[in-house]
Amino acid sequence: MIRSISPVLLSSVVALGTFGCKRQKETPAGANNETDSVSVVDTIGKTPDTVYTLSSELYTADPSAHVFNGKLYVYPSHDFESGIPEDDLGSHFNMEDYHVFSMDSVGGEVTDHGLALHIDDVPWAGRQMWAPDAAHKDGEYFLYFPVKDKEDIFRIGVAKSTTPEGPFKAMDKPIEGSYSMDPAVFEDTDGKYYMYFGGIWGGQLQRWRNNEYHGEDTYPADDAPALSPKVALLADDMAGFAEEPKDVMILDENGNPITTGDNNRRFFEAAWVHRYKDKYYLSYSTGDTHKIVYATGDSPYGPFTYRGVILDPVLGWTNHHSIVEYQGKWWLFFHDSSMSDGKTHLRSVKMTQLKHSPDGTIQRMNTYVEP
């Protein structure tokens, strides 16, 4: 198991552990996936044979997984009990720092590399360090992170390191033109890097129109196209946008935009892109219907056509994931609240194999466990 680390030694002490294996239980009829009695419905995915847990010591969430130098690195957010009351804006998700984890093989030892970045070391930051991501280019490693600025508006920052585990040094200002949260960086086969970002409700995407902040919450009508995640090509230095952020359109089977009222398919948060057999796969969370779903397209800009569910609701309100190929297999990283017996803001990162069918569709999974 991962040994506990004294907070004052986090920057210098390395802890080792094992990605623990646990057989998941079948979802019982009428089960709940949250302490406030949100019902789990439409859970028809197959239960995986093996699900691994990242850490038994820290509460971790929102995992972004990458392969650097032949090793698997995981960049999660770090949950803790701050005492902030729960609300629909996610104020109780009051994270303050990041750790980086790595492993040489699935199911083997996991290294917690200690404190990678703390909010106190980000000059412009106010509160709430939410889901991060990372990228590598020309010997430099970049940690991208959303945090509210001094005016309580989410921006996306960037920090740099010469190693994938950090520690990372934050730049003095957020990325110009960035907003909302959940940055996810996709490296295409031509060497271009794209950042996807955005999230509604607490993610503040509904307060922006045409990349300008309007302050008030404004949502489209239920029968109008839903708010879209954003995408922007990254600049050569990886520290800014090379263009204005664009909408990422998600279409239904008839080629029409998914609508605001289509809560089972519309974008809520946690955009992620991977490429498989020359197709681009956009996956994301549906938020208040608690699924990870996906759509496919022929360009990193989209449009993407909705295809189905990847992951059924898990224990806890949120659902956030990443997908990566490692050692010849594809892996789904996600989180649930099983380690805290259902406390939605105290989550644990898990990992299981993801399978593409011969026609390119992704096999649906159910990893729900009882609290």
Side-chain angles (χ1 to χ4, degrees):
M1 306 300 288
I2 295 181
R3 296 191 300 270
S4 60
I5 310 172
S6 170
V8 297
L9 298 177
L10 284 176
S11 61
S12 58
V13 176
V14 173
L16 296 177
T18 333
F19 229 139
C21 172
K22 181 179 181 181
R23 172 73 185 185
Q24 300 298 289
K25 301 176 183 178
E26 295 291 340
T27 305
N32 292 330
N33 80 325
E34 232 291 55
T35 53
D36 61 1
S37 299
V38 175
S39 294
V40 172
V41 294
D42 197 20
T43 53
I44 62 173
K46 180 181 178 181
T47 302
D49 291 332
T50 308
V51 174
Y52 301 95
T53 300
L54 181 65
S55 171
S56 61
E57 294 296 321
L58 295 182
Y59 288 116
T60 53
D62 311 319
S64 293
H66 293 274
V67 178
F68 297 134
N69 306 321
K71 297 177 68 172
L72 188 55
Y73 285 85
V74 186
Y75 299 82
S77 53
H78 175 200
D79 286 349
F80 79 108
E81 182 57 78
S82 66
I84 303 295
E86 295 187 22
D87 61 29
D88 286 342
L89 297 180
S91 300
H92 46 302
F93 297 103
N94 195 33
M95 299 88 95
E96 296 180 343
D97 60 30
Y98 299 112
H99 284 231
V100 178
F101 295 81
S102 70
M103 68 198 81
D104 292 310
S105 62
V106 174
E109 289 185 338
V110 176
T111 302
D112 175 0
H113 294 278
L115 185 65
L117 181 68
H118 194 279
I119 194 168
D120 290 345
D121 298 318
V122 181
W124 55 271
R127 64 186 180 112
Q128 295 184 288
M129 298 187 88
W130 284 10
D133 195 18
H136 168 255
K137 184 180 180 182
D138 298 334
E140 272 194 304
Y141 296 87
F142 303 86
L143 181 69
Y144 300 96
F145 56 95
V147 63
K148 288 180 178 175
D149 63 16
K150 306 295 187 183
E151 297 179 347
D152 227 32
I153 299 173
F154 265 119
R155 306 286 183 177
I156 298 171
V158 57
K160 299 180 182 181
S161 177
T162 57
T163 63
E165 66 270 16
F168 290 85
K169 181 176 176 54
M171 299 184 69
D172 290 339
K173 296 180 180 180
I175 295 174
E176 185 176 355
S178 69
Y179 54 93
S180 195
M181 45 74 143
D182 288 355
V185 175
F186 167 70
E187 180 185 359
D188 208 347
T189 53
D190 60 2
K192 294 181 179 179
Y193 294 79
Y194 300 86
M195 179 181 288
Y196 301 82
F197 63 91
I200 61 175
W201 291 22
Q204 301 181 342
L205 189 59
Q206 70 278 1
R207 299 180 183 180
W208 293 80
R209 292 192 295 278
N210 299 319
N211 298 321
E212 294 184 0
Y213 186 68
H214 289 261
E216 76 283 356
D217 291 345
T218 303
Y219 297 92
D222 281 354
D223 59 353
L227 292 172
S228 301
K230 309 300 177 184
V231 62
L233 179 71
L234 286 176
D236 288 341
D237 64 2
M238 302 289 283
F241 295 152
E243 60 187 4
E244 290 286 318
K246 299 175 171 62
D247 286 341
V248 179
M249 295 303 301
I250 305 171
L251 309 177
D252 65 17
E253 64 278 10
N254 298 315
N256 300 314
I258 298 292
T259 60
T260 300
D262 189 351
N263 291 48
N264 281 306
R265 298 191 296 177
R266 65 93 168 86
F267 170 77
F268 188 97
E269 62 186 1
W272 184 267
V273 169
H274 75 281
R275 187 168 176 170
Y276 179 75
K277 292 186 176 179
D278 295 327
K279 281 285 186 181
Y280 297 89
Y281 286 67
L282 169 71
S283 46
Y284 56 93
S285 170
T286 61
D288 54 351
T289 50
H290 318 290
K291 299 181 182 73
I292 298 297
V293 301
Y294 74 106
T296 60
D298 296 319
S299 164
Y301 290 108
F304 294 90
T305 300
Y306 180 87
R307 297 299 182 190
V309 177
I310 296 175
L311 184 64
D312 290 333
V314 297
L315 180 66
W317 200 93
T318 65
N319 216 345
H320 193 121
H321 72 297
S322 62
I323 296 170
V324 67
E325 186 179 16
Y326 184 58
Q327 296 180 342
K329 296 180 179 180
W330 286 91
W331 300 95
L332 173 72
F333 286 78
F334 63 100
H335 67 235
D336 68 12
S337 296
S338 56
M339 198 166 79
S340 65
D341 293 326
K343 292 183 179 178
T344 197
H345 61 290
L346 298 177
R347 299 160 292 181
S348 54
V349 166
K350 295 186 174 182
M351 171 187 184
T352 194
Q353 188 175 352
L354 179 141
K355 296 180 181 180
H356 299 84
S357 298
D359 64 358
T361 56
I362 295 175
Q363 297 180 23
R364 180 172 179 169
M365 287 179 282
N366 173 17
T367 64
Y368 183 84
V369 291
E370 295 182 78

